[in-house]
Amino acid sequence: MTEDQRGTALLRGAVSSPRASFLELFFDLVFVFALTRVSQRIIDDVASPGRDVWSEVAQTLLLFLALWLVWTLTAWVTSRYEPERGVIQFVVVASMFGSMVMAVALPRAFAERALTFACAYLAMQIGRPLLVTVALRQHPRRTVTARIVAWMTVGALAWLAGALVPQPALRAVLWTAGLTWDYTGLALGWPVPRLGPTRVSGWAVMGEHLAERYQQIFLIALGETILIIGFTFSNSEFAAAGFGAFALSFLVTALFWRIYFHRAGHLLAEAIRVARSPGLLGESASWTHLVMVAGVLVTGVGYELVIDHPYARMEQTWAVFVLGGPALFLAARARFEYEIFGRVSRSRLAGVLVLVALAPLALRMSPMVALASAAAVLVAIAVSDAARSWGRPAERPASPL
């Protein structure tokens, strides 16, 4: 076998299974823990008096975006390269361990665990494409991963500098610069001198596999909120008010599932498969799922606040989580519908507007009433979806992308 043939064998072929491998599902288990650490960090920030809540939340958002980039690039690797090959399996397992280290360091990433978090992140973001570049040998696609190595190496300077400075504020600035550089590379295709860019929208990917990976990370986010609901209520008094908040929280999570998978969520795989440019739709769906997952995580923080304080005085910051999380999810879900069908249901846009309008009024509500209001909006959207589909043939994807 020649060097080029060995590199070709690393790519997904026509006989490659479109389903996510058991190793990838194993990899996702780390993100169940990682997303829980993200939510818990925000909950600790909100619940601790005297803290600059929004500054702390911004730091947590930065850490979440770093984790998301690790998951996204790993998903694209296993959708582009054959996951049954030993080198790709090693890449996934190594990324799994690195993600676990990041998750463990996350609660104190802006304190004494900064260097651990940064080194784990950089080891994956540079080591993964470097290993694939070597494994591709002389195959032309090695220039793609070589671009990523070069781009990420430059961005590593900001990450390492931020980890080494003692001031958390300066660390946040440097890490924001590093993360912006990394996401800019993803958006532009990691352009480097002489080689130019290589946009992921032009990559040949396994559409059904990529769609399944997005569906799975969304379900992981829902699972993380289930953990929050269960742990919070099990550690509180089994009073009627607490049980009401517990039941409402579960209802909202179930409605997230229903609204996501109603038609568009089920048709993502087919939409990517029949798209003229599967990579373009896959890239767009990646950004959309980032916002939807963020909306679910934000709502999960609201669950804990409501279960612990169902009839307490509503704080301004609490309203952002209880009502803002569902609004963020619905806004991204509206975009997702456009990606699949080329249109947006009025009910979703109306839901976002109602939730935003309720935010100022929420200060006069109890947390329980605010969460019930969010649930009522989601119920109305789910009912509207069901009514629109009743007695009509199943809609087929018609992505404008």
Side-chain angles (χ1 to χ4, degrees), residues 271-335:
I272 295 179
R273 185 170 60 250
V274 302
R276 286 174 295 179
S277 178
L280 179 61
L281 179 54
E283 180 188 21
S284 180
S286 174
W287 298 106
T288 303
H289 279 75
L290 165 61
V291 181
M292 280 195 285
V293 168
V296 171
L297 295 181
V298 169
T299 307
V301 175
Y303 293 160
E304 177 152 341
L305 295 172
V306 176
I307 294 172
D308 281 342
H309 315 282
Y311 293 110
R313 177 180 174 275
M314 174 70 87
E315 301 287 341
Q316 185 176 14
T317 54
W318 295 10
V320 173
F321 298 103
V322 176
L323 296 174
L328 190 63
F329 165 77
L330 285 178
R333 181 56 179 78
R335 173 181 164 81

Side-chain angles (χ1 to χ4, degrees), residues 170-327:
L170 182 55
R171 177 171 299 137
V173 171
L174 290 169
W175 279 5
T176 299
L179 190 67
T180 301
W181 174 265
D182 294 345
Y183 270 91
T184 300
L186 175 62
L188 299 182
W190 303 280
V192 296
R194 296 186 180 181
L195 293 179
T198 174
R199 292 284 300 274
V200 294
S201 59
W203 289 8
V205 295
M206 186 70 71
E208 186 175 344
H209 173 271
L210 195 61
E212 190 172 307
R213 298 299 289 134
Y214 291 144
Q215 292 164 346
Q216 287 162 355
I217 193 64
F218 181 76
L219 287 174
I220 287 171
L222 293 183
E224 186 274 339
T225 64
I226 292 294
L227 289 176
I228 289 179
I229 294 169
F231 282 132
T232 304
F233 188 55
S234 65
N235 292 327
S236 65
E237 295 183 5
F238 273 49
F243 182 81
F246 167 78
L248 268 177
S249 298
F250 180 82
L251 174 62
V252 170
T253 296
L255 288 166
F256 281 160
W257 165 81
R258 167 65 181 175
I259 292 170
Y260 172 83
F261 278 104
H262 182 76
R263 304 309 302 150
H266 279 298
L267 292 176
L268 177 58
E270 183 179 349
I272 295 179
R273 185 170 60 250
V274 302
R276 286 174 295 179
S277 178
L280 179 61
L281 179 54
E283 180 188 21
S284 180
S286 174
W287 298 106
T288 303
H289 279 75
L290 165 61
V291 181
M292 280 195 285
V293 168
V296 171
L297 295 181
V298 169
T299 307
V301 175
Y303 293 160
E304 177 152 341
L305 295 172
V306 176
I307 294 172
D308 281 342
H309 315 282
Y311 293 110
R313 177 180 174 275
M314 174 70 87
E315 301 287 341
Q316 185 176 14
T317 54
W318 295 10
V320 173
F321 298 103
V322 176
L323 296 174

Side-chain angles (χ1 to χ4, degrees), residues 81-101:
Y81 302 101
E82 179 53 62
E84 298 302 322
R85 292 288 174 181
V87 63
I88 300 302
Q89 290 183 339
F90 177 81
V91 165
V92 174
V93 172
S95 298
M96 183 178 180
F97 178 73
S99 301
M100 191 72 177
V101 174

Side-chain angles (χ1 to χ4, degrees), residues 22-197:
F22 289 117
L23 179 58
E24 291 171 277
L25 299 178
F26 185 40
F27 170 76
D28 284 347
L29 293 179
V30 170
F31 279 80
V32 175
F33 171 69
L35 294 183
T36 302
R37 295 297 86 202
V38 171
S39 295
Q40 190 59 54
R41 194 179 194 277
I42 298 177
I43 291 168
D44 292 342
D45 295 338
V46 175
S48 300
R51 284 191 178 185
D52 184 352
V53 173
W54 297 119
S55 175
E56 297 286 342
V57 169
Q59 291 178 2
T60 305
L61 174 62
L62 188 153
L63 302 176
F64 164 68
L65 290 175
L67 280 168
W68 179 265
L69 192 57
V70 169
W71 184 91
T72 298
L73 292 179
T74 302
W76 277 85
V77 164
T78 53
S79 188
R80 186 170 168 84
Y81 302 101
E82 179 53 62
E84 298 302 322
R85 292 288 174 181
V87 63
I88 300 302
Q89 290 183 339
F90 177 81
V91 165
V92 174
V93 172
S95 298
M96 183 178 180
F97 178 73
S99 301
M100 191 72 177
V101 174
M102 289 176 65
V104 170
L106 190 144
R108 304 290 297 169
F110 276 85
E112 69 274 8
R113 297 179 186 173
L115 189 60
T116 300
F117 184 90
C119 288
Y121 173 79
L122 295 175
M124 287 182 288
Q125 300 297 67
I126 297 174
R128 177 179 50 230
L130 180 61
L131 186 59
V132 175
T133 301
V134 173
L136 285 170
R137 301 179 184 269
Q138 299 304 315
H139 194 279
R141 285 193 184 176
R142 71 195 303 267
T143 60
V144 175
T145 48
R147 288 178 177 90
I148 300 175
V149 172
W151 189 275
M152 292 295 186
T153 301
V154 174
L157 299 176
W159 283 99
L160 290 175
L164 294 173
V165 297
Q167 299 88 356
L170 182 55
R171 177 171 299 137
V173 171
L174 290 169
W175 279 5
T176 299
L179 190 67
T180 301
W181 174 265
D182 294 345
Y183 270 91
T184 300
L186 175 62
L188 299 182
W190 303 280
V192 296
R194 296 186 180 181
L195 293 179

